[in-house]
Amino acid sequence: MSFADYLGQRWPVIGVLAVQHAEMVLIAVAVAAAIGVGVGIVVEGHPRASRVALNITGTMLTIPSFALFGLLIPVLGLGAPPAIAALVLYAIFPVLRNTVTGLASVPGAVEDAARGMGLSRWARLRLVRLPLAWPVVLTGVRVATIMTVAIAAIAAGVSGPGLGQLIFGGLARIGGANALNDALAGTLGVAVLALALDLLFVALSRLTTSRGLG
């Protein structure tokens, strides 16, 4: 069967797996963004705490994904829970790094002007510093999203949902009927999904960033 014929017959299944893949990634990135931005706000301005937080979260990226998924199985079992938990751990670092960098890059003159207006620390953070740091923070979330789209494919190794099921299933049956088509469809699906999410973040950046900061 040609790849075109294969896609014509299997596109509903591929579509469902792509949606599951996207849901898993977006849930993980949302959780990671909340943690990364929150920790970034807490440690920003404290160089030692920032280094410790960045070193700990950066170390997570050095752990092979298969190993991390496997370590989470005894705690969370098989399926989506260990997959999402692992993706969260991988996604925190770029968000945290960019949050710290973005907040640190706010000009001191702007901070002094806000302080002179009588704004409290939290008011300055909410009204001045976070909006100015937002483009850098959003870039961190964007990087985390694209990174986890690829890593999420490996979640099929712990029975996780998504396009990885096609890749792993095809590779396990290589030489069999449609095995290569399965693997190719899953691989291309991951690439297309990554591109789609990247374009989504480009649009989100344009919509949420002030023209003066763009």
Side-chain angles (χ1 to χ4, degrees):
M1 180 186 297
S2 70
F3 187 61
D5 291 338
Y6 167 87
L7 290 179
Q9 294 183 12
R10 296 275 290 171
W11 69 264
V13 174
I14 297 172
V16 169
L17 293 175
V19 170
Q20 292 176 348
H21 199 108
E23 288 179 343
M24 181 169 59
V25 167
L26 292 175
I27 289 172
V29 170
V31 175
I35 296 172
V37 172
V39 174
I41 290 172
V42 171
V43 302
E44 194 276 325
H46 304 281
R48 182 175 298 179
S50 296
R51 285 195 300 271
V52 170
L54 289 171
N55 286 339
I56 292 174
T57 55
T59 299
M60 295 297 174
L61 296 180
T62 68
I63 303 175
S65 51
F66 264 123
L68 185 56
F69 285 132
L71 290 172
L72 292 172
I73 289 176
V75 180
L76 299 174
L78 295 171
I84 292 174
L87 294 179
V88 169
L89 294 176
Y90 282 124
I92 290 175
F93 176 72
V95 179
L96 174 59
R97 180 192 58 194
N98 279 41
T99 300
V100 172
T101 301
L103 290 174
S105 67
V106 175
V110 175
E111 178 84 3
D112 292 339
R115 186 181 293 109
M117 294 173 61
L119 295 179
S120 67
R121 178 177 182 273
W122 289 108
R124 294 196 304 271
L125 177 69
R126 180 172 57 88
L127 299 175
V128 179
R129 304 191 70 202
L130 275 178
L132 290 175
W134 173 246
V136 179
V137 175
L138 187 60
T139 297
V141 178
R142 178 181 176 185
V143 170
T145 301
I146 304 308
M147 179 180 68
T148 53
V149 168
I151 298 174
I154 304 174
V158 292
S159 300
L163 292 164
Q165 293 184 5
L166 284 176
I167 299 173
F168 275 70
L171 293 177
R173 297 182 294 101
I174 204 69
N178 287 324
L180 184 58
N181 285 336
D182 279 346
L184 182 59
T187 302
L188 291 177
V190 170
V192 170
L193 181 59
L195 177 60
L197 290 176
D198 191 46
L199 292 175
L200 175 64
F201 274 95
V202 170
L204 182 61
S205 177
R206 291 178 179 176
L207 290 173
T208 59
T209 302
S210 171
R211 291 189 177 183
L213 299 176

